[in-house]
Amino acid sequence: MYPLRRNRRLRTNEAIRALVRETIISPNDFLVPLFVVEGKSIKDEIPSMPNYFRYSLDLLEKEVKELWNMGLKSVLLFAKVPDNLKDNKGTEASNPNGLMQRAIKTVKNACPEMLVMTDVALDPYSAYGHDGIIENGRVLNDASVNALTAMSLSHAQAGADFVAPSDMMDGRILSIREAFEQEGFVNTGIMSYSAKYASAFYGPFRDALDSAPVDLIDIPKDKKSYQMDYANRSEALIETEMDIDEGADIVMVKPGLCYLDIVRDIKNIVNVPVAVYQVSGEYAMLKAAAEKGWLNHDAVVMEQVTAIKRAGADIMASYFAKDVVRILNS
Ligand SMILES: NCC(=O)CCC(=O)O
Ligand SMILES: [Mg+2]
């Protein structure tokens, strides 16, 4: 007796394994998140994100050129806003000379072909650390959408190629798309964080931007009234379909690893590119385990990004992007 099929034949050596490999990782898969701060000559390591930095604009220029030379051609910008510029309405978010708007121009000057995407949400600008405007202890939807639309327009005016609304208010994609069409930004795209879950994995990111919800009476303690419940699957599909109908060019699932079932479900039903955000907590977990010598950093990085792509990600926003290129080249 012998097995009718010997599956191991296709695993005999690296040549045959390479020949039948289904998922290949390349620098083109990645969107590099970048944190910017005011000041000069600042390259500030984020304590809960080892080897990840906030850059002042002069050093951002250098970083962006390095990314481009590594084959990383798309960035996603986040601004760390000084406390004195924060208020409930996120007024600073649409300042034409704000940090984000200057960062867009800095990247475009340094590297004109770099694709620039920008985070759109009020939390870095909110005195309360929320993605929208608060009234009577609630995050308002439509007033927040108006503020996010103004913010998006200011990014488009500064030269962003894509805006990436990460706030999870209802109807913001339609509002932003209509404003772009009316104001002549017909080629400015929208990558919607369509299925963003209320996740504890965002902790280190909130350290990076100092943007966690504040602990005050009448201020919601968490983001569960707008980000999705991680117990749910169906609403991720509705959220995503609606954002496509409203004009999203790219949709997103966030976080990554714990949500790969959602990624696959969405990939199976949509015909637009699907992005996945491998978030700060996922980065921090692996860096910490690797520092202790408990996991092989490079091997686990590649396994993780390959799994995310295999699940259906066309694009990955990942703090590991530079690590991946280094590993690919080694
Ligand atoms: N709007 C962007 C994020 O919330 C990022 C979260 C993370 O990296 O943990
Ligand atoms: Mg939605």
Side-chain angles (χ1 to χ4, degrees), residues 223-242:
K223 300 189 174 184
K224 291 178 184 171
S225 79
Y226 43 106
Q227 299 176 351
M228 292 192 311
D229 183 341
Y230 58 69
N232 294 349
R233 172 195 300 275
S234 308
E235 66 181 322
L237 307 182
I238 296 184
E239 286 281 7
T240 304
E241 285 173 335
M242 285 178 68

Side-chain angles (χ1 to χ4, degrees), residues 165-183:
S166 63
D167 55 286
M168 288 298 281
M169 298 302 128
D170 292 324
R172 88 280 207 220
I173 301 301
L174 181 62
S175 172
I176 294 167
R177 188 69 262 157
E178 284 183 348
F180 280 1
E181 297 299 314
Q182 276 161 21
E183 300 298 322

Side-chain angles (χ1 to χ4, degrees), residues 44-304:
D44 206 8
E45 188 171 23
I46 298 150
S48 48
M49 298 179 72
N51 206 31
Y52 220 83
F53 302 88
R54 307 179 191 101
Y55 297 94
S56 54
L57 297 184
D58 51 335
L59 295 191
L60 176 69
E61 204 172 304
K62 201 163 146 248
E63 177 65 12
V64 159
K65 285 182 177 155
E66 186 182 324
L67 293 173
W68 184 263
N69 291 332
M70 294 175 81
L72 293 163
K73 300 193 275 273
S74 302
V75 296
L76 177 56
L77 299 179
F78 297 92
K80 181 176 188 291
V81 180
D83 278 346
N84 64 319
L85 295 178
K86 298 182 181 184
D87 61 20
N88 184 26
K89 293 188 168 161
T91 312
E92 175 65 14
S94 29
N95 176 357
N97 298 313
L99 177 59
M100 173 63 95
Q101 290 77 2
R102 281 178 282 127
I104 296 165
K105 292 175 188 162
T106 301
V107 177
K108 282 292 179 188
N109 281 334
C111 208
E113 288 170 280
M114 181 70 85
L115 187 86
V116 177
M117 298 200 184
T118 57
D119 186 61
V120 171
L122 295 190
D123 51 331
Y125 299 89
S126 159
Y128 304 128
H130 275 285
D131 296 22
I133 298 167
I134 296 184
E135 197 177 281
N136 300 326
R138 302 212 15 106
V139 177
L140 298 177
N141 194 84
D142 299 5
S144 300
V145 167
N146 290 339
L148 295 162
T149 303
M151 180 179 185
S152 299
L153 266 179
S154 84
H155 293 182
Q157 280 153 358
D161 298 297
F162 271 73
V163 294
S166 63
D167 55 286
M168 288 298 281
M169 298 302 128
D170 292 324
R172 88 280 207 220
I173 301 301
L174 181 62
S175 172
I176 294 167
R177 188 69 262 157
E178 284 183 348
F180 280 1
E181 297 299 314
Q182 276 161 21
E183 300 298 322
F185 295 103
V186 297
N187 294 321
T188 309
I190 303 176
M191 177 175 77
S192 175
Y193 289 62
S194 313
K196 179 174 181 176
Y197 285 88
S199 169
F201 283 100
Y202 306 148
F205 174 91
R206 291 175 188 169
D207 293 342
L209 291 191
D210 185 23
S211 61
V214 298
D215 191 9
L216 281 178
I217 225 156
D218 271 351
I219 301 299
K221 299 280 170 282
D222 56 49
K223 300 189 174 184
K224 291 178 184 171
S225 79
Y226 43 106
Q227 299 176 351
M228 292 192 311
D229 183 341
Y230 58 69
N232 294 349
R233 172 195 300 275
S234 308
E235 66 181 322
L237 307 182
I238 296 184
E239 286 281 7
T240 304
E241 285 173 335
M242 285 178 68
D243 284 357
I244 295 169
D245 287 345
E246 290 181 25
D249 301 284
I250 300 172
V251 294
M252 184 192 279
V253 177
K254 180 181 172 184
L257 285 179
C258 290
Y259 298 84
L260 296 188
D261 55 328
I262 309 295
V263 175
R264 175 44 60 184
D265 282 351
I266 287 172
K267 182 66 184 167
N268 284 343
I269 62 163
V270 307
N271 294 308
V272 300
V274 176
V276 173
Y277 203 133
Q278 186 180 31
V279 302
S280 60
E282 302 181 64
Y283 178 85
M285 267 194 318
L286 175 51
K287 291 289 175 189
E291 229 167 67
K292 284 187 173 284
W294 292 349
L295 284 174
N296 176 332
H297 178 272
D298 289 0
V300 174
V301 166
M302 293 311 291
E303 184 173 337
Q304 290 190 345

